Amino acid sequence: MEALVQINNVTCGYDSKVIFQKLNLSVYRGQFAGLVGPSGAGKSTLLKSVLGIVPLIEGEITVAGERINGRTPKKVGYVPQIETVDWNFPVTVEQVVVMGLYRHMGYLPWPSRSDRKRVGELLDQLGIGKYAHRHIKALSGGEQQRVFLARALVGRPELLVLDEPTAGVDLKTQHGVLHLLGELNRSGVTILITTHDLNAVARHLPWVICFNHGLVAQGYPDEIFTSTVLSRTYDSEMAVIRQGDVTLVDDSPRAGHHFKKKEQEA
Ligand code: ADP
């Protein structure tokens, strides 16, 4: 398989604080990978290094052969955490998506008729066409998520990067978003997401990368989601329950203690 993202010997951090060092990691064309690990493990920093938002202290990252050098490559679409968006900014849904077309220009020109047509089609495809002229603030969390997905997709990216797409939305929307991402992946888009929801990864994602200030393990979820690997990733005991084809991770607080107690009782 051909690597779409190649991370070579990369050290990254803020000021003098190193978050991870000498990392080597590849994301292959066609992959749909979930990056998991505890809060503060450096997952967002890793995504931002691929996006060219966080500068590299050492090493090199290429996307489709293009070296990242302080700006997000054209071939990459990014969906931020919806909690980090300033909702007071006075823009409509259509305008947010149009921004995805012109992000490399440094200014926002009046969109052409064909641009507006493309945006309209994409919004329809994502089931939010009727909201094109609404203020972005007037939508539900799941709908806002789709608007940012449309903004990321409008430039026809080869790689889609999403930071916590399942955070802050209800369970039904979470499944909807992951299903949609699965469809996009089948249509040829390579996808890298961070998420806290290990059970959603186990159910929906074909590949998982465990990260804690460095790569702990990566592979198919049913191989990677073992108590040993997850406990190493989270620096805390984690229980994994298997029932037939279904893998369930007990990621409630003190899951390890709970599990131990049950084992003792048995
Ligand atoms: P995760 O996404 O796994 O929760 P982050 O990459 O957001 O982890 O954070 C890793 C570490 O980097 C944390 O200790 C966090 O406080 C720190 N950090 C994140 N962003 C910045 C920043 N802009 N400036 C300084 N430190 C930061």
Side-chain angles (χ1 to χ4, degrees):
M1 255 198 297
E2 189 196 346
L4 180 61
V5 182
Q6 191 74 58
I7 299 172
N8 287 328
N9 203 35
V10 167
T11 300
C12 220
Y14 305 96
D15 301 322
S16 57
K17 190 166 137 197
V18 169
I19 304 298
F20 55 85
Q21 51 189 333
K22 297 193 179 298
L23 177 70
N24 290 294
L25 182 69
S26 303
V27 178
Y28 294 96
R29 248 178 230 286
Q31 260 187 336
F32 181 4
L35 188 59
V36 304
S39 281
K43 302 180 300 295
S44 292
T45 305
L46 176 56
L47 291 191
K48 285 175 184 163
S49 69
V50 172
L51 295 163
I53 300 171
V54 174
L56 311 185
I57 297 169
E58 185 189 7
E60 183 188 76
I61 300 181
T62 58
V63 176
E66 184 190 345
R67 195 177 166 175
I68 307 297
N69 196 4
R71 61 176 6 208
T72 305
K74 284 201 180 85
K75 296 184 172 78
V76 182
Y78 173 48
V79 182
Q81 286 186 30
I82 52 172
E83 284 137 349
T84 63
V85 175
D86 176 7
W87 297 115
N88 290 317
F89 202 66
V91 279
T92 65
V93 167
E94 184 186 57
Q95 284 166 328
V96 170
V97 182
V98 164
M99 283 174 200
L101 276 175
Y102 297 112
R103 69 190 163 111
H104 300 286
M105 294 178 68
Y107 65 97
L108 194 58
W110 198 249
S112 67
R113 188 189 288 233
S114 73
D115 288 346
R116 293 189 66 178
K117 186 163 172 273
R118 160 108 184 108
V119 170
E121 282 167 2
L122 200 51
L123 289 174
D124 283 342
Q125 209 183 324
L126 295 175
I128 46 171
K130 58 180 183 268
Y131 302 136
H133 302 292
R134 261 207 209 170
H135 188 293
I136 177 86
K137 206 164 96 173
L139 304 185
S140 72
E143 289 156 357
Q144 288 167 345
Q145 188 71 260
R146 279 162 195 258
V147 175
F148 284 94
L149 196 52
R151 184 184 67 163
L153 288 171
V154 73
R156 301 181 202 277
E158 288 183 54
L159 173 71
L160 193 57
V161 174
L162 302 96
D163 204 351
E164 290 285 347
T166 53
V169 291
D170 61 66
L171 210 60
K172 187 163 169 264
T173 308
Q174 281 181 20
H175 286 285
V177 168
L178 289 171
H179 184 75
L180 191 62
L181 293 178
E183 274 176 15
L184 286 166
N185 177 244
R186 281 187 289 280
S187 77
V189 184
T190 305
I191 301 179
L192 180 62
I193 72 169
T194 63
T195 177
H196 279 109
D197 190 346
L198 297 178
N199 287 306
V201 173
R203 276 184 68 179
H204 294 274
L205 266 61
W207 195 258
V208 59
I209 301 168
C210 293
F211 195 81
N212 190 351
H213 297 284
L215 182 65
V216 179
Q218 63 170 325
Y220 301 111
D222 56 348
E223 287 172 14
I224 290 296
F225 281 179
T226 63
S227 183
T228 313
V229 174
L230 289 182
S231 302
R232 246 176 41 223
T233 308
Y234 285 85
D235 289 328
S236 125
E237 237 173 296
M238 303 271 281
V240 178
I241 301 143
R242 288 183 201 276
Q243 277 177 341
D245 289 347
V246 181
T247 303
L248 280 172
V249 181
D250 186 358
D251 51 5
S252 54
R254 294 168 55 84
H257 296 268
H258 173 65
F259 188 54
K260 260 192 196 155
K261 192 160 170 276
K262 272 212 242 159
E263 267 181 345
Q264 280 162 5
E265 281 167 7

